[in-house]
Amino acid sequence: MSEHRLTQKQNALMIDPRRTRVLNSCSDKPGAVIYWMSRDQRLNHNWALLFAREKAARKGQPLVVVFALAPSFLDAPFRHYDFMLKGLEETSKALERINIPFMLLEGEPDTEISRYACQSEAGAVVTDFSPLNISRNWKKKAADILDIPLYEVDAHNIVPCWYASDKQEYAARTLRPKLQARLDEFLVPFPTILPLPAPHVHHRSPDWKQVRERLQKDRSVPPVNRIAPGETAAAESLENFIKSRLSGYATARNDPNSNALSQLSPYLHFGQISAQHVALRVAESRAPQKDKTAFLEELIIRRELSDNFCNYNPSYDRFEGIPAWAKQTLLLHGQDKREYLYTIDVFEKAATHDKLWNAAQSELVQSGKIHGYMRMYWAKKILEWSSSPPEAFEMAIYLNDRYALDGRDPNGYAGVAWSIGGLHDRPWFERPVYGNIRYMNASGCRRKFDVERYISRFREPATLFPNA
């Protein structure tokens, strides 16, 4: 990791222009700057918010942060909205303490943002980057409607996704050198966001209780109360990981019983913590270098590889998006005899013959996450026990998105595509059902960790909704 750093003064005066782009051909006008907060839901360490604040200060105009609450986001149930809204409530209060009003709009984001910008006679709109199709479609529609510029800032990746590569990368080994060559330039500390003058913008703070009560969401998937949402909880989780679990991470991370993982994935998904800030804190810690290197490989290379996949492959959430060699081998073995065949209902209820798989599904439903090693096993067995590879892919995406707090995320889509569809992998020895896709079995898990101990932690039959 490079020791190169920009000074606070230099950084405060400059947001790297390679991190920003304009999504339409309009020019700035007089009027407030709107930060359309979407993927990066935090006050601190947020390049998009810093860019918007800098623009407002230079124009001598107010800055308003606006979040558009979509009536549906890829069928997310109440669990996900609850976690997100509690985090946004904390962020809104933190923003208002530094004289930046926060507004919550309810409705289709492209429509609501465009309407608000017009009504408030705004001069520019700034938003954050997401490679997901739904977000890109919202921005395209808004950019077409607005008569002011819509700036997009990659506040999620350390090296901006579109700058790191202009194509879908084959594997980590092809993206890694491109990212490492740019870390000196982009992995820099953040300036502190400074207060603005008291705004002359009429706004009404959201009634968060009423917002949650109005949500018409599937409440059969309840909140995960053991994980506190929000920027403060995310920061505490990071410091706890660095202090207690980062040392030893390289050897313990593949043991689901070790409690070695950072537990940051929900916070990274909802943008309640910055991956760049996490990388800087880990890099400057006193943990052994091998542990820091193992963690940063996942945080930077693997995570940004997932954004690259979704950014350049619009079929990222479908079987059609996997590599051609994988499609060919899976379809060739599509009619192979399966020892077990299960429906989505059996999978969802963790009612298969395999106690280890059932424990992984129970962990997902109960805690809103699966240990990374077990998520690979979980997905590969869905392939093995489904009537066809396309059906397996669809069911794995459905279950992950429905229950995982970090669902609907490039990491999740890339993870399923790797496990089932050979993404970012290579052909392996051919076998029934899997073809040349990498194989996993329970015996391999037993060589890695104490399987019975893991099963005992999520033993079925158990209530799948202990927090209901």
Side-chain angles (χ1 to χ4, degrees):
M1 190 64 58
S2 168
E3 297 299 322
H4 174 73
R5 298 291 184 264
L6 292 181
T7 66
Q8 184 86 346
K9 182 178 180 181
Q10 287 173 318
N11 207 16
L13 296 174
M14 182 183 69
I15 308 298
D16 194 312
R18 295 170 296 179
R19 194 175 288 283
T20 71
R21 59 184 180 182
V22 187
L23 301 184
N24 56 17
S25 57
C26 301
S27 300
D28 283 14
K29 293 183 177 180
V33 175
I34 296 171
Y35 169 35
W36 173 9
M37 179 179 280
S38 182
R39 191 186 190 193
D40 291 284
Q41 302 167 18
R42 61 185 180 275
L43 167 66
N44 295 299
H45 314 126
N46 184 338
W47 291 121
L49 178 57
L50 287 164
F51 177 81
R53 190 225 174 270
E54 183 179 276
K55 180 169 282 292
R58 287 181 175 177
K59 287 162 58 73
Q61 295 288 344
L63 169 62
V64 183
V65 174
V66 179
F67 188 91
L69 184 64
S72 176
F73 188 84
L74 303 174
D75 298 320
F78 183 68
R79 167 177 290 182
H80 301 77
Y81 275 86
D82 178 79
F83 192 92
M84 180 180 73
L85 288 171
K86 287 176 179 175
L88 284 172
E89 181 174 2
E90 178 186 341
T91 297
S92 72
K93 293 174 181 176
L95 283 163
E96 291 178 358
R97 284 196 291 271
I98 60 170
N99 296 327
I100 301 178
F102 177 93
M103 296 195 65
L104 185 73
L105 307 178
E106 297 179 58
E108 292 298 333
D110 52 300
T111 302
E112 295 304 318
I113 291 294
S114 303
R115 179 184 296 125
Y116 178 76
C118 178
Q119 290 176 348
S120 62
E121 298 183 337
V125 178
V126 178
T127 192
D128 41 48
F129 167 76
S130 169
L132 298 189
N133 291 332
I134 186 171
S135 298
R136 294 170 75 161
N137 289 337
W138 286 337
K139 291 171 190 174
K140 184 180 185 306
K141 291 178 181 177
D144 289 343
I145 297 170
L146 291 167
D147 64 352
I148 53 177
L150 175 57
Y151 295 92
E152 184 177 52
V153 182
D154 191 343
H156 218 75
N157 295 291
I158 296 172
V159 181
C161 185
W162 58 77
Y163 188 77
S165 176
D166 60 359
K167 64 181 181 179
Q168 182 181 333
E169 293 292 334
Y170 182 78
R173 62 179 173 79
T174 64
L175 182 62
R176 186 181 295 109
K178 296 180 180 181
L179 293 177
Q180 290 177 336
R182 298 299 187 188
L183 287 182
D184 274 0
E185 304 165 48
F186 287 102
L187 187 53
V188 297
F190 291 86
T192 300
I193 186 163
L194 301 174
L196 283 166
H200 300 288
V201 175
H202 175 73
H203 83 288
R204 183 173 58 185
S205 298
D207 185 325
W208 295 100
K209 182 179 179 181
Q210 286 190 8
V211 170
R212 280 189 282 271
E213 289 175 351
R214 282 198 298 270
L215 278 176
Q216 300 298 313
K217 296 299 162 196
D218 180 359
R219 294 181 182 245
S220 67
V221 185
V224 178
N225 294 328
R226 68 191 73 181
I227 304 176
E231 196 168 347
T232 300
E236 291 172 353
S237 184
L238 169 62
E239 296 308 314
N240 182 267
F241 168 65
I242 292 172
K243 178 182 178 181
S244 305
R245 303 191 302 282
L246 178 56
S247 294
Y249 179 85
T251 54
R253 58 181 167 162
N254 284 334
D255 182 352
N257 298 315
S258 68
N259 189 32
L261 301 188
S262 69
Q263 311 299 339
L264 293 175
S265 62
Y267 302 118
L268 289 166
H269 167 69
F270 285 101
Q272 295 173 0
I273 196 168
S274 157
Q276 185 162 336
H277 172 68
V278 173
L280 290 167
R281 288 289 297 117
V282 167
E284 68 189 17
S285 75
R286 297 182 179 180
Q289 188 58 48
K290 67 175 183 179
D291 297 314
K292 295 194 288 188
T293 298
F295 178 78
L296 292 172
E297 165 73 15
E298 295 177 353
L299 178 74
I300 301 175
I301 309 301
R302 302 290 174 164
R303 194 182 56 83
E304 300 200 5
L305 181 63
S306 298
D307 259 35
N308 168 273
F309 167 56
C310 293
N311 193 50
Y312 293 111
N313 188 331
S315 299
Y316 57 78
D317 57 349
R318 301 190 298 279
F319 180 79
E320 290 73 21
I322 67 174
W325 70 263
K327 275 186 282 194
Q328 181 180 12
T329 191
L330 286 170
L331 293 176
L332 182 65
H333 289 271
Q335 300 304 314
D336 289 359
K337 180 177 174 56
R338 271 78 168 155
E339 187 175 1
Y340 301 95
L341 277 176
Y342 295 118
T343 62
I344 187 63
D345 186 58
V346 175
F347 282 127
E348 195 161 12
K349 292 178 180 177
T352 77
H353 70 285
D354 183 346
K355 291 183 178 181
L356 179 58
W357 192 94
N358 293 347
Q361 173 65 13
S362 295
E363 180 185 13
L364 173 62
V365 175
Q366 292 176 19
S367 66
K369 64 180 182 64
I370 308 181
H371 185 281
Y373 186 83
M374 285 308 302
R375 181 140 41 179
M376 296 186 292
Y377 178 82
W378 170 89
K380 286 181 178 295
K381 292 305 170 185
I382 294 176
L383 169 63
E384 188 174 333
W385 303 329
S386 299
S387 61
S388 72
E391 180 185 68
F393 197 96
E394 182 179 349
M395 288 196 292
I397 293 291
Y398 166 79
L399 291 171
N400 189 68
D401 282 359
R402 179 169 173 79
Y403 294 107
L405 279 172
D406 63 354
R408 296 169 189 78
D409 188 274
N411 276 344
Y413 296 127
V416 170
W418 180 91
S419 300
I420 293 176
L423 178 74
H424 302 145
D425 205 358
R426 60 174 176 84
W428 290 70
F429 298 111
E430 192 168 13
R431 63 172 60 243
V433 181
Y434 287 80
N436 297 116
I437 300 296
R438 187 193 297 248
Y439 179 67
M440 285 183 71
N441 60 17
S443 296
C445 293
R446 286 189 173 89
R447 290 192 293 270
K448 290 275 190 181
F449 63 93
D450 185 344
V451 164
E452 295 306 321
R453 181 183 171 196
Y454 177 76
I455 292 172
S456 71
R457 293 168 54 210
F458 303 101
R459 188 178 302 279
E460 78 287 6
T463 174
L464 295 182
F465 300 113
N467 296 324

